[in-house]
Amino acid sequence: MKTKIVLIEDDSTLGLAILEILALNGFDVKWFETGSEAVFYFKENTCDLIISDFMMSIMNGEELFFKLHKQLKQNSIPFIIITGNVDKNLKYKQLENGVNDYITKPFNTKELIFKIRNLLDFKKNILKKLTPDPFSKVTIKLSEKDFITALNEILIKNIKSKIDLNELSKKLFISKSTLDKKIRKHTNKNISQYIREFKLQYAIKLINNGEKNIQFLVVETGFNSFSYFSTSFKSYTGMTAREYIKSLKY
């Protein structure tokens, strides 16, 4: 799939020239002559890199950058400013704003292509680090084991802390909603209920193994408070933790 570039240039002659240069170098280019057209385009579309002229009527390159930055709610799309203004202070201001690169007209074709490729490679490397390898040992491990077993392994390793559901879904490489659906499918419980009962089952195992200190159980199972642990324990077993301990014959 070709790399998608959005070009905003109000000079039709220069815009056509840049369009041809990029196309010859294997890029899929969408060209707009005004910033407002680009803003409308990005309401339902995206791209891999943006190139914009600075001096344009109605909306200049700086205004466009800020508008798209706010609209896209992220800064993951590299943004290059092209301008005939040689004022260094203007250049420094754009870079300070967050623009990724700045090219002064007239520019060399090779310079433009090199800068584009460098930014795209940098973005690719960043995304690669943030995206799980589908063939990693962790993923293979999950594919070989039962979902609940994999889930329980993560829960037991984090038993003393409050489980972050977003982090839990990331470790299982699924969305939070999918995690909830899978748990409901396998256990007929929602995420919160399953985690709470998992912690209580662990507390019961500790008691069965001789633990009698209730405060220790609260800390060891990662409950927020003594009262929440006590209420949850009684709701789950039908008796308080103290009553449960007394019912056992050590």
Side-chain angles (χ1 to χ4, degrees):
M1 184 180 294
K2 288 186 177 182
T3 298
K4 294 182 179 180
I5 294 178
V6 167
L7 168 67
I8 304 95
E9 172 59 67
D10 62 352
D11 184 321
S12 58
T13 302
L14 181 58
L16 182 59
I18 296 175
L19 176 67
E20 291 178 348
I21 291 170
L22 297 178
L24 287 172
N25 281 272
F27 297 113
D28 180 6
V29 188
K30 195 76 175 176
W31 172 30
F32 299 106
E33 295 190 23
T34 66
S36 57
E37 289 179 296
V39 170
F40 182 78
Y41 173 80
F42 280 110
K43 286 183 177 180
E44 296 184 356
N45 300 278
T46 187
C47 70
D48 299 298
L49 184 138
I50 300 170
I51 301 173
S52 175
D53 187 14
F54 182 79
M55 296 300 294
M56 296 185 292
S57 58
I58 303 175
M59 185 187 303
N60 65 30
E62 182 178 49
E63 294 170 328
L64 175 61
F65 172 77
F66 281 125
K67 197 165 187 68
L68 290 180
H69 184 74
K70 182 179 180 180
Q71 180 175 313
L72 299 174
K73 297 180 180 179
Q74 57 169 317
N75 194 27
S76 61
I77 302 177
F79 198 105
I80 297 177
I81 285 283
I82 296 179
T83 182
N85 194 321
V86 295
D87 184 356
K88 288 186 176 180
N89 290 326
L90 178 64
K91 174 180 179 180
Y92 298 151
K93 183 182 179 183
Q94 302 317 304
L95 294 173
E96 184 180 7
N97 288 340
V99 169
N100 300 93
D101 217 328
Y102 190 97
I103 300 177
T104 304
K105 301 175 186 176
F107 57 85
N108 184 283
T109 299
K110 288 185 178 180
E111 178 187 5
L112 176 62
I113 298 303
F114 284 146
K115 288 192 173 185
I116 289 173
R117 294 198 185 284
N118 286 343
L119 285 174
L120 290 173
D121 286 343
F122 180 74
K123 177 185 176 181
K124 183 179 179 180
N125 289 332
I126 292 296
L127 291 175
K128 186 176 181 181
K129 289 180 180 179
L130 297 176
T131 305
D133 181 355
F135 298 104
S136 67
K137 292 181 180 179
V138 176
T139 306
I140 292 174
K141 181 179 180 181
L142 289 180
S143 66
E144 294 174 345
K145 292 192 172 187
D146 177 76
F147 168 74
I148 294 298
T149 301
L151 171 62
N152 289 348
E153 286 182 354
I154 296 174
L155 293 180
I156 197 64
K157 288 179 181 178
N158 298 274
I159 192 69
K160 291 185 179 182
S161 61
K162 182 179 179 180
I163 305 296
D164 186 308
L165 299 183
N166 291 321
E167 188 64 23
L168 181 59
S169 62
K170 286 180 181 178
K171 288 180 182 294
L172 292 167
F173 302 114
I174 55 177
S175 66
K176 188 176 174 181
S177 60
T178 301
L179 172 62
D180 184 62
K181 289 178 182 178
K182 278 181 169 288
I183 290 178
R184 288 177 186 275
K185 178 181 178 181
H186 289 281
T187 68
N188 292 320
K189 302 170 186 175
N190 60 37
I191 300 176
S192 299
Q193 182 184 358
Y194 183 83
I195 293 175
R196 183 174 62 253
E197 293 186 3
F198 181 89
K199 287 175 175 287
L200 291 171
Q201 288 169 9
Y202 183 67
I204 291 171
K205 287 182 180 179
L206 292 176
I207 294 173
N208 291 340
N209 287 329
E211 183 56 57
K212 299 179 182 180
N213 188 321
I214 299 177
Q215 185 58 49
F216 174 84
L217 294 173
V218 174
V219 175
E220 199 67 12
T221 53
F223 274 84
N224 293 332
S225 66
F226 186 97
S227 60
Y228 181 48
F229 171 83
S230 300
T231 303
S232 299
F233 193 97
K234 186 172 183 178
S235 176
Y236 184 64
T237 63
M239 61 180 78
T240 65
R242 198 173 302 282
E243 290 172 342
Y244 184 87
I245 292 172
K246 288 182 178 178
S247 70
L248 300 177
K249 295 179 180 181
Y250 292 105

